[in-house]
Amino acid sequence: MASAHEQQALLGQDQHQHGEHGLHRNSGAIKLYKSRWLMLLVIFILQISNAMVWVTFAPIASIARDFYNTTTLVVNLQSLLFMFVFFPVAVVSSWCLEHKGLRFSVNAAAWLNAIGALVRALSSYAPHHYQLVIVIVGQTLAAVAQPVILGCPTFLVAIWFGEKERAEANTIATASNPLGMAIGSVLAPQLVSSGTDLRLMYYVFCGPAFLGLLMSLLFLKDKPPTPPSVSAGDTPESWLVGLKHLWTNKQFILLVFSFGMGIGLTSANTTLLGQIVGSVGYSADDSGYFSAFFVGFGLFGAGLAGVFVDKTKWFLTTYRICIVGASASFVFFTFMVKRDNWAMLAFANSVMGFFCFAALPVALELCVECTFPIHEGTSGEMVWASGQIFGIIAIFGMDALKGEVQENTDDYRAMDNSLWFMVGLGAVSLVAGLLFNTEYKRLKEDHGRGEAARSVNTTAP
């Protein structure tokens, strides 16, 4: 059943379809430009490449540990580094998106991402005792690039895409991050069988990073000549005022504890899945297959949800279904983690991925709707930053609660407390999500001005 806000959105959409043609108050006729899809492709490639750098060491942790003569914790920190730097950098990068624009901000992030990937490759030519330090420098550069790369899709979509395609565009842009994680997780162990293979892997991972940089420099533009919607032509609140209003917005804070917690739990599951299933006897290859089910069905769920909410505007209803399904799947997964239960574990990961990823494009749209007219880059980066903070809490909490592996038993013990901790955090996400109830401020702005009734030229260059 559609909520009151969803019914209003549908009513406004219906009124558009029977309204009069008009012009934007500042910028003339509403137009959609074909180049918007090229812009989206640039972000798609950058997100894939940055995610590949992020998860590089997760599937080859033991090889990297032995080659660099360090500890597993130090190797794991190469991924956790991205979470640690995200929040402070997000504050700066959100200002940069608003004041310097899309092209400057994304180009800067693309340079950092590409240079970071290259520095890792060049580390292999340094004396062995310096190599890990240089790798950490490269990881740090890519980590600093991540807030802009993850946070810019809502901004790009808002200023380049029409009202009826925003959720689908957000789906494409944001789903590329977990896709990149999946590619990196599969590719790294295929390229690296010993420490001497790390150089080859670093250079291979440079490819997408430099492709993204080249495409960003050649094709990215700040904004189209004319806006794709009425709301896109409005002037957002100033950065400092918007940031203050953001953290005094009750609905945004609820979304932070719901969606942000979901991001954190997804990161924790991706990071610790090998340890979770390994504690009951499954191999690294099994863990890779479970991850593939998680990401594969997740991408399907995200695509389905994006198309559905673009057509129906049932953002709240769809999001609530997703968080209920995700919370239930955490419990189901917890009970399925046991020996000789491969098929049910694969199914549990598929269900988790489907609901967790399906919430992604819907929540990002809701983030903009509940905070409009705050700049989309600011609200998007802050909700992603909260996800990184919750991810750190989830990962370290689950790691601290894990026990010893019980041999020769079918009973699940080693990660029992860790998984119930995950279920508890999922319950917090569920309660916050069910309490979340916002009006659709951006849609109201679009519909109030009769945006959809205006002439839309989809053949513009």
Side-chain angles (χ1 to χ4, degrees), residues 130-265:
Y130 291 124
Q131 289 185 13
L132 180 58
V133 174
I134 298 173
V135 169
I136 293 173
V137 171
Q139 290 287 115
T140 302
L141 291 173
V144 171
Q146 191 183 59
V148 167
I149 293 173
L150 277 183
C152 72
T154 51
F155 181 38
L156 169 75
V157 169
I159 61 176
W160 278 95
F161 287 81
E163 177 213 325
K164 296 182 180 180
E165 58 188 12
R166 287 192 293 235
E168 293 177 51
N170 252 324
T171 300
I172 295 171
T174 54
S176 56
N177 177 259
L179 178 60
M181 294 174 69
I183 294 172
S185 297
V186 171
L187 198 56
Q190 299 301 316
L191 293 171
V192 178
S193 57
S194 67
T196 56
D197 297 325
L198 287 169
R199 177 189 294 179
L200 171 63
M201 180 195 66
Y202 291 147
Y203 275 117
V204 171
F205 280 33
C206 280
F210 276 91
L211 175 61
L213 172 61
L214 180 62
M215 293 180 67
S216 179
L217 294 173
L218 291 177
F219 303 125
L220 208 62
K221 302 174 185 176
D222 272 321
K223 57 185 178 181
T226 55
S229 65
V230 171
S231 59
D234 288 344
T235 302
E237 293 182 348
S238 67
W239 177 78
L240 196 57
V241 171
L243 205 59
K244 178 182 177 181
H245 286 171
L246 202 62
W247 293 108
T248 56
N249 183 324
K250 177 183 176 182
Q251 297 306 319
F252 176 76
I253 292 174
L254 285 172
L255 191 63
V256 161
F257 276 92
S258 178
F259 177 56
M261 186 72 76
I263 295 173
L265 290 174

Side-chain angles (χ1 to χ4, degrees), residues 11-42:
L11 177 61
Q13 189 177 46
D14 184 64
Q15 289 172 344
H16 295 347
Q17 293 170 353
H18 299 89
E20 296 177 356
H21 290 274
L23 298 175
H24 187 273
R25 57 193 172 103
N26 295 324
S27 306
I30 298 297
K31 292 182 180 180
L32 298 179
Y33 294 82
K34 289 181 179 179
S35 54
R36 70 193 187 279
W37 296 107
L38 187 57
M39 236 76 64
L40 189 64
L41 180 61
V42 172

Side-chain angles (χ1 to χ4, degrees), residues 260-270 330 390-391 394 421-422 425-426 429:
M261 186 72 76
I263 295 173
L265 290 174
T266 301
S267 298
N269 180 70
T270 303
F330 292 148
F390 287 128
F421 178 67
M422 179 180 73
L425 294 180
S429 174

